[in-house]
Structures are given as structure tokens and as C-alpha cells.
Amino acid sequence: GEFLLTAGFTNASGALLLVEIAIIALQAARGVPSHFNYATALDGAFFAVMGVGITSMWVINIFAFVLLLRERLQSRAMTWAVRAGLLIALIGMALAFAMTSPNSAQISALQAGQKLAQMGAHNVNALADGQTRMLPILGWNLDGGDLRIAHFVGLHAVQVIPLLALLLRRRRFAWLGANDQAGLVAVGAATYLGITLMTLWQALRNESIAAPGALTLAALVAVLVLAAGAGASIIIRARRATVNA
């Protein structure tokens, strides 16, 4: 029964993603934006379908996370890596909802009684996509805060954290016990979450990812120092246990 439920969640997520990709491709073929586009009734309907689909997928992944709490994988470290990765990814997914709110320029236009062709934005400042310098390939805003960055970082925790657990299983780390590996995964997950939230905080302050200020740099240093200290304490304890064995 639980296997069928998991398979159902997987199939539903895949179907929703296919719909999402199909709408994005169709809008691109029409030469119009797929996101935040209310220029016509059809554009608004497409974006509404995308919103319902991605919200449904988020809820499905919450159920998947609950199922994972009952699963035991091949190692304790991998079990907690998959759980932590999906939890942080859920947070990353949720950050996308902040992009659908109107920015300051759009709020002013609405208050003036104007009809908007776009509602919501990736950028925190009043500049729309394409009106700023952009990071090559990724297209992130280089002239102010961009909410896509925290969304992107958070989403990929579901790959990065389990990859850490896989790396710790290599033969060269055989001296690390199961508890040590799980502890290092926990440190890695906490660090990754800290960086995700830091990029969100940076964007909300309308600060470019390419020009971090003193506060952002101080926060990054604090996160990395705490991570290094916690990781070093686990490694030193494991080394001592190996020597004394």
C-alpha cells in the first residue's frame, strides 16, 4: 500500500511538471512571458494553471516528506540526507510564492487604477526582467535583489545533501562511524539551509548577488565558521576514537 502511494505521488508530480513545461514551451513559442503574465485572458489563464499545478506539487512533496520520515535507507547518513534535502527543497519551493506578490512599482500602478500586464516579479526592485544587467546563463539580476536565487539554492538541496552522504561513504572515510557520518550530514544540511536563508535575506534587502555588502559577508562568514567548527569537532572525535580503538 505504501509503495503504491509513493508511486502515485511520483506519477502525479511528473504529470504536473509536464503540464508546467508544456505551458512554458508554448508561451515561449508565442514569444510572450510564461510567468506573471496577465496581458490577455489566455496568458492569465495559463499562469493560473501553472500556479495551481506548482502548488499541488508542493503539497504532494509534503506528503512525500512525511512518508520519508518512516523510511530507513541504506545508511543513517543517507536517511537523514534525503529527509533534510527534501525539507530544505520544500522551503525553497515555498519561496517562489513570494515572487507572485506585486512589487512596489506594481502596487503604485494598481493604486492609481492602472491595469497591469504583469503581476509579480523575480526582482525586488522596480526594474523588470530584461531591464537590468543579468548573470550569464542563469539570468539573475545584477542590479538588485533577485528572489530566484534563494529559490534555486533551496530547490537543489535535494541533490546536494544526499551527494554529501554518498561522498562520506567512500573508502577513504571508512574511519568515520555511522553516527559521525550522520552528524556531518546534519552540519552540511544546516549550513546549506543557512546559505539559502541568507540569499533570501540578501534579496529582500535589494542587494545584488554580485555585490554583497558588509552585513551579508559577515553573515556568510558566521555560517561558515560555525559549520567548520561543528564539522571539525566531529572529525577530531572520530579520529581519536580510531586511534584509541
Side-chain angles (χ1 to χ4, degrees):
E2 193 164 297
F3 172 79
L4 291 175
L5 186 60
T6 303
F9 285 157
T10 302
N11 292 335
S13 295
L16 290 169
L17 279 176
L18 283 174
V19 172
E20 194 90 1
I21 293 169
I23 292 175
I24 291 172
L26 177 60
Q27 292 293 75
R30 295 176 63 222
V32 298
S34 57
H35 288 64
F36 320 123
N37 187 357
Y38 293 92
T40 67
L42 179 61
D43 292 324
F46 277 144
F47 188 51
V49 170
M50 292 175 67
V52 171
I54 211 66
T55 302
S56 301
M57 184 176 170
W58 184 62
V59 172
I60 287 171
N61 277 275
I62 291 176
F63 285 115
F65 174 73
V66 172
L67 286 178
L68 273 175
L69 294 178
R70 301 173 57 182
E71 290 291 326
R72 296 292 184 271
L73 304 181
Q74 65 264 43
S75 71
R76 188 179 305 168
M78 183 57 73
T79 298
W80 285 104
V82 172
R83 290 172 178 173
L86 183 53
L87 178 61
I88 298 172
L90 283 168
I91 295 171
M93 290 181 203
L95 297 180
F97 297 128
M99 302 181 206
T100 61
S101 301
N103 60 22
S104 56
Q106 292 166 350
I107 291 173
S108 298
L110 287 172
Q111 291 173 342
Q114 299 178 22
K115 184 182 183 301
L116 298 181
Q118 177 176 315
M119 183 79 71
H122 298 129
N123 300 339
V124 172
N125 56 20
L127 297 175
D129 292 341
Q131 294 180 331
T132 69
R133 292 178 301 133
M134 295 184 294
L135 188 68
I137 300 176
L138 294 173
W140 292 340
N141 179 11
L142 293 179
D143 293 323
D146 194 320
L147 294 167
R148 285 173 294 185
I149 300 170
H151 176 56
F152 175 89
V153 175
L155 278 178
H156 288 287
V158 76
Q159 289 98 26
V160 174
I161 309 303
L163 180 60
L164 172 61
L166 281 176
L167 291 173
L168 291 173
R169 292 188 64 197
R170 299 187 68 174
R171 186 174 300 176
R172 71 179 66 178
F173 300 118
W175 50 274
L176 286 169
N179 288 336
D180 301 320
Q181 292 184 11
L184 288 172
V185 164
V187 171
T191 305
Y192 198 94
L193 177 61
I195 292 173
T196 300
L197 297 177
M198 189 190 69
T199 56
L200 173 64
W201 177 58
Q202 182 184 26
L204 291 174
R205 290 184 291 117
N206 197 23
E207 184 178 271
S208 168
I209 189 71
L215 274 176
T216 303
L217 292 174
L220 178 60
V221 169
V223 169
L224 295 179
V225 167
L226 287 172
S233 67
I234 293 172
I235 291 170
I236 291 170
R237 185 176 66 246
R239 278 294 191 189
R240 285 175 178 171
T242 302
V243 171
N244 295 333

